[in-house]
């Protein structure tokens, strides 16, 4: 079988539509992951041992079980409890929830890296707890972890094809459906691969540049 | 719930397939990681470039896309893979790329004096790697490798999408047969969790052994 450039040109617009869904799902999921991760980290620092241990085991559980199964859970189990999510919504929530357990670790590392003196200074200045966190600790911690968080954005992008398991019309799913219509899988799936490598390589170059810049300002 | 428990032979068979995939995939990934990771530390710029290209390409590729490519696209140009081979190849190639970065980083983190000492003692390059550099690098590699193996195990759930009867695939079957959606997924999530915890304890055991071998923290354990 020969590579058919004409066919390639025909399917490209459809694939780009799929890519748009992939990117949307990734970005929305990323927003959830970044915010929820911070929530997990802060909850783990509360004095209550019950909250602390619960959060610890919940995040450990989510982190060490497959994203695909979690997506199935959101998509198939929640409706039996009366919560019906559309495929894309379930996908975004699943991606976000799964990766929030990773970003939580990143934040934790970032907060641990803030020098002790900063805490002591906040105490010495008698800053209220909320100001200590919002104006002293978090700005420094988050600046340190931006490149690492960027890497997780790329990781999420690469995990987004899993959404086809719950019928989201993302990039790979579009390619596969196109293929079943024409029985030619070579061009669409190869194109998807090329698009993935392109987006990932370009974004990892950007993240590396970000990394270098944040080292330079340290 | 009892319907799901009654289906335990199916769950066990699925779990066994998942474990097999994890083992085969990890072995392939380890070999690729060592080959391309060491290539990344080579003196020749060409060899280093080969390592870089492998790492960038397969780190940038989504495992599932790769798997679909092996399974649906390549047979059309004459390369046929069994589902199992396609799955192990794509999991191994993907995790191997991450592993290669780990190997490269670990080898470069071995103090330079160690390297100079082997030159002074007139070791051959093979002796240098085997006797001096690698044993020290392995201690640094183990914790990230442990994480990668768990990532691979989790990643193996996608093979259910190319009809391999792993744990996730069995879950779908049981769900269809019994209509017990909740308990089916709770059961397999728990099984995955147990497998992950078991892998983690294995890695910790290995870490302790390597530390003892190198005489580090010998008394602390």
């Amino acid at each position: 079988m020969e590579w058919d450039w004409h066919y390639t040109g025909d399917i490209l617009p459809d694939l780009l539509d799929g890519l748009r869904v992939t990117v949307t799902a990734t970005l929305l999921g990323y927003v959830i992951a970044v915010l929820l991760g911070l929530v997990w980290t802060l909850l783990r620092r509360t004095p209550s041992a019950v909250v602390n241990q619960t959060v610890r085991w919940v995040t450990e559980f989510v982190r060490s079980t497959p994203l695909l199964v979690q997506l199935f859970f959101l998509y198939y189990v929640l409706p039996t409890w009366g919560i019906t999510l559309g495929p894309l919504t379930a996908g975004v929530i699943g991606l976000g929830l799964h990766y929030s357990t990773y970003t939580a670790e990143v934040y934790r590392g970032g907060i641990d890296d803030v020098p002790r003196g900063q805490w002591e200074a906040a105490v010495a200045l008698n800053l209220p707890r909320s100001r200590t966190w919002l104006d002293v600790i978090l700005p420094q911690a988050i600046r340190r972890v931006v490149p690492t968080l960027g890497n997780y954005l790329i990781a999420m992008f690469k995990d987004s094809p899993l959404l086809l398991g719950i019928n989201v019309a993302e990039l790979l799913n579009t390619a596969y459906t196109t293929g079943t219509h024409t029985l030619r899988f070579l061009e669409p799936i190869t194109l998807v691969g090329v698009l993935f490598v392109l987006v990932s390589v370009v974004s990892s170059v950007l993240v590396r540049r970000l990394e270098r810049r944040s080292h330079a300002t340290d | 719930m009892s319907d799901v428990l009654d289906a335990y032979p199916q769950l066990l068979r699925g779990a066994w397939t998942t474990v097999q995939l994890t083992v085969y995939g990890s072995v392939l990934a380890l070999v690729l990681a060592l080959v391309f990771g060491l290539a990344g530390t080579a003196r020749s710029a060409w060899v280093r470039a080969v390592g870089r290209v492998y790492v960038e390409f397969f780190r940038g590729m989504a495992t599932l896309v790769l798997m679909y490519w092996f399974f649906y696209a390549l047979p059309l140009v004459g390369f046929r893979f069994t589902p199992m081979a396609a799955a192990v190849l794509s999991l191994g190639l993907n995790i191997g790329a991450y592993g290669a970065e780990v190997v490269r980083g670990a080898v470069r983190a071995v103090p330079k004096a160690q390297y100079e000492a082997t030159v002074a003692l007139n070791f051959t390059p093979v002796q240098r790697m085997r006797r001096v550099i690698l044993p020290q690098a392995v201690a640094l590699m183990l914790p990230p490798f442990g994480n990668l193996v768990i990532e691979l195990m989790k990643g193996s759930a996608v093979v259910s999408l190319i009809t391999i009867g792993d744990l996730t695939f069995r879950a779908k079957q049981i769900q269809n047969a019994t209509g017990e959606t909740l308990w089916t997924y709770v059961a397999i999530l728990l099984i995955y969790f147990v497998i992950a915890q078991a892998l983690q304890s294995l890695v910790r055991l290995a870490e302790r052994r390597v530390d003892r071998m190198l005489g580090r923290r010998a008394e602390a354990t």
Side-chain angles (χ1 to χ4, degrees):
Chain A
M1 189 170 135
E2 289 281 299
W3 182 276
D4 185 345
W5 281 108
H6 194 69
Y7 174 55
T8 311
D10 282 348
I11 58 175
L12 199 57
D14 281 346
L15 291 187
L16 290 179
D17 268 350
L19 183 62
R20 221 179 46 221
V21 176
T22 297
V23 170
T24 314
T26 309
L27 289 180
L28 290 178
Y30 189 61
V31 172
I32 297 181
V34 166
L35 295 178
L36 197 59
L38 192 57
V39 172
W40 296 137
T41 313
L42 295 180
L43 280 180
R44 282 212 57 187
R45 300 188 75 101
T46 55
S48 152
V50 179
V51 174
N52 194 329
Q53 287 303 311
T54 317
V55 170
R56 182 174 150 220
W57 283 104
V58 167
T59 50
E60 175 72 22
F61 188 83
V62 173
R63 195 176 30 229
S64 50
T65 49
L67 173 58
L68 183 67
V69 182
Q70 291 164 10
L71 291 174
F72 285 158
F73 193 92
L74 289 173
Y75 193 60
Y76 295 117
V77 176
L78 288 191
T80 64
W81 294 343
I83 311 166
T84 307
L85 300 172
L88 187 61
T89 322
V92 167
I93 294 177
L95 262 180
L97 181 67
H98 190 78
Y99 275 94
S100 72
T101 60
Y102 287 85
T103 54
E105 287 297 302
V106 176
Y107 286 124
R108 199 172 58 107
I111 292 171
D112 287 347
D113 274 354
V114 175
R116 268 183 69 92
Q118 299 287 325
W119 289 97
E120 288 159 1
V123 173
L125 291 169
N126 202 18
L127 289 182
R129 271 257 295 260
S130 60
R131 283 208 61 196
T132 309
W133 278 104
L134 291 176
D135 295 337
V136 181
I137 306 299
L138 286 182
Q140 300 184 62
I142 290 175
R143 180 130 38 114
R144 269 160 223 263
V145 299
V146 164
T148 322
L149 288 179
N151 278 328
Y152 280 110
L153 177 61
I154 304 175
M156 285 176 75
F157 174 69
K158 281 176 11 203
D159 260 354
S160 64
L162 266 57
L163 266 57
L164 78 82
I166 54 170
N167 306 322
V168 176
E170 49 70 63
L171 184 53
L172 183 60
N173 202 353
T174 317
Y176 179 71
T177 328
T178 322
T180 47
H181 289 323
T182 55
L183 290 178
R184 298 181 63 102
F185 288 105
L186 182 64
E187 290 89 348
I189 296 182
T190 308
L191 270 184
V192 172
V194 171
L195 284 174
F196 261 92
V197 171
L198 268 182
V199 175
S200 310
V201 168
V202 169
S203 35
S204 68
V205 168
L206 288 178
V207 168
R208 234 169 283 157
R209 193 169 298 170
L210 204 69
E211 229 160 35
R212 220 168 303 143
R213 256 206 7 216
S214 80
H215 279 305
T217 53
D218 259 356
Chain B
M1 189 179 172
S2 63
D3 283 344
V4 177
L5 292 180
D6 284 343
Y8 79 92
Q10 255 184 308
L11 287 176
L12 280 185
R13 245 187 308 152
W16 178 234
T17 309
T18 296
V19 170
Q20 275 179 312
L21 276 166
T22 310
V23 172
Y24 297 154
S26 302
V27 170
L28 177 63
L30 182 65
V31 172
L32 290 172
L34 283 175
V35 170
F36 287 99
L38 291 180
T41 61
R43 202 176 305 165
S44 143
W46 283 106
V47 179
R48 276 208 310 273
V50 171
R52 270 290 10 112
V53 168
Y54 167 75
V55 167
E56 290 297 337
F57 185 82
F58 286 102
R59 261 197 333 187
M61 192 70 149
T63 320
L64 186 58
V65 175
L66 202 60
M67 212 176 282
Y68 264 52
W69 197 65
F70 279 130
F71 193 62
Y72 290 112
L74 279 193
L76 299 174
V77 283
F79 297 95
R80 233 160 252 293
F81 293 93
T82 60
M84 196 69 178
V88 169
L89 262 180
S90 41
L91 286 170
L93 281 168
N94 194 252
I95 298 291
Y98 287 95
E101 281 295 271
V102 172
V103 171
R104 194 173 66 99
V107 168
R108 287 216 321 209
V110 173
K112 231 183 139 154
Q114 298 282 331
Y115 179 88
E116 286 157 2
T118 60
V119 176
L121 291 169
N122 203 18
F123 276 30
T124 64
V126 175
Q127 280 177 320
R128 176 169 65 217
M129 267 299 155
R130 224 177 77 79
R131 302 275 176 198
V132 181
I133 308 289
L134 274 186
Q136 299 182 63
V138 164
L140 299 172
M141 287 176 208
L142 269 180
F145 269 172
N147 288 338
L148 286 179
V149 169
I150 293 175
E151 287 295 323
L152 193 145
M153 187 277 291
K154 280 164 47 187
S156 77
V158 303
V159 303
S160 63
L161 298 172
I162 58 167
T163 69
I164 295 179
D166 78 325
L167 202 47
T168 310
F169 188 80
R170 299 292 172 203
K172 282 217 123 175
Q173 283 182 328
I174 298 172
Q175 180 199 353
N176 289 336
T178 63
E180 280 274 18
T181 314
L182 172 65
W183 292 111
T184 313
Y185 285 111
V186 168
I188 68 158
L189 280 172
L190 284 174
I191 298 177
Y192 273 117
F193 184 64
V194 169
I195 298 178
Q197 296 299 315
L199 287 173
Q200 208 148 46
S201 351
L202 275 179
V203 172
R204 250 177 243 142
L205 212 73
E207 273 168 43
R208 230 172 287 159
R209 267 207 65 170
V210 169
D211 280 343
R212 213 172 307 145
M213 242 164 55
L214 291 176
R216 291 177 191 162
R217 277 190 292 168
E219 268 75 49
T221 57

